[in-house]
Amino acid sequence: CFDKVFVCVMDNCDKKSHMFPAEKRLEMLRRSVEELPNVEAELWPGLVVDFARRHGATVIVRGARSASDFDAEYAMGIINRKLLPGLDTVIFPAAPEYLHISSTMARDMIRYGQPLEDCLPAAILPLLREMRKDGK
């Protein structure tokens, strides 16, 4: 759908803590997209509209697993367009096989040593296994 995709790793201020620091999440994201030549990933400390402005982006891509996800993303899209007129938000529905996957579920699977092949990108599994061995 897009010639170039920029992905930003941000801190969600609604989450009390993250399992991984932002730099580690960026590393995992970069490993996940390294075979996609038109995708770049970076850390971003501020608002996504400022990230879009910096990169000259005109579209923010979001995903939704449920109607409540859609409603939240739709409302955020309206706010983002008010902050940066001309910035659209495209919301893609999750494929049925991924509807059950959430960051909470993935954290629990990692924390309790459960199989990760069906819920996380294959490119980051060796890194996660290495981190388990090191106790990080």
Side-chain angles (χ1 to χ4, degrees):
C1 292
F2 304 99
D3 294 330
K4 185 77 174 176
V5 175
F6 297 96
V7 183
C8 61
V9 173
M10 304 171 72
D11 280 326
N12 181 341
C13 59
D14 292 334
K15 291 188 178 182
K16 292 182 174 72
S17 67
H18 293 279
M19 182 173 226
F20 303 106
E23 294 78 14
K24 185 60 72 177
R25 291 182 315 201
L26 178 62
E27 178 186 354
M28 288 187 280
L29 175 61
R30 285 182 171 159
R31 285 188 187 200
S32 298
V33 300
E34 66 188 353
E35 294 184 19
L36 303 172
N38 65 330
V39 178
E40 292 182 25
E42 65 184 79
L43 294 175
W44 188 253
L47 296 174
V48 71
V49 293
D50 293 329
F51 183 84
R53 186 180 288 115
R54 176 174 182 226
H55 290 287
T58 57
V59 176
I60 293 175
V61 176
R62 301 294 298 185
R65 292 173 295 160
S66 65
S68 60
D69 283 354
F70 178 86
D71 290 345
E73 296 299 345
Y74 182 77
M76 187 56 62
I78 292 170
I79 294 167
N80 288 336
R81 186 180 295 160
K82 286 184 179 196
L83 295 172
L84 182 58
L87 182 64
D88 290 318
T89 298
V90 174
I91 305 169
F92 286 108
E97 62 267 26
Y98 301 120
L99 290 175
H100 67 287
I101 298 174
S102 67
S103 59
T104 300
M105 186 274 292
R107 272 194 308 274
D108 286 346
M109 298 289 280
I110 293 166
R111 185 174 289 125
Y112 297 110
Q114 297 302 306
L116 303 170
E117 289 75 10
D118 291 337
C119 62
L120 295 172
I124 67 168
L125 296 180
L127 177 64
L128 291 170
R129 287 185 191 107
E130 181 182 308
M131 291 168 63
R132 279 182 182 166
K133 285 182 200 170
D134 295 340
K136 296 179 184 173

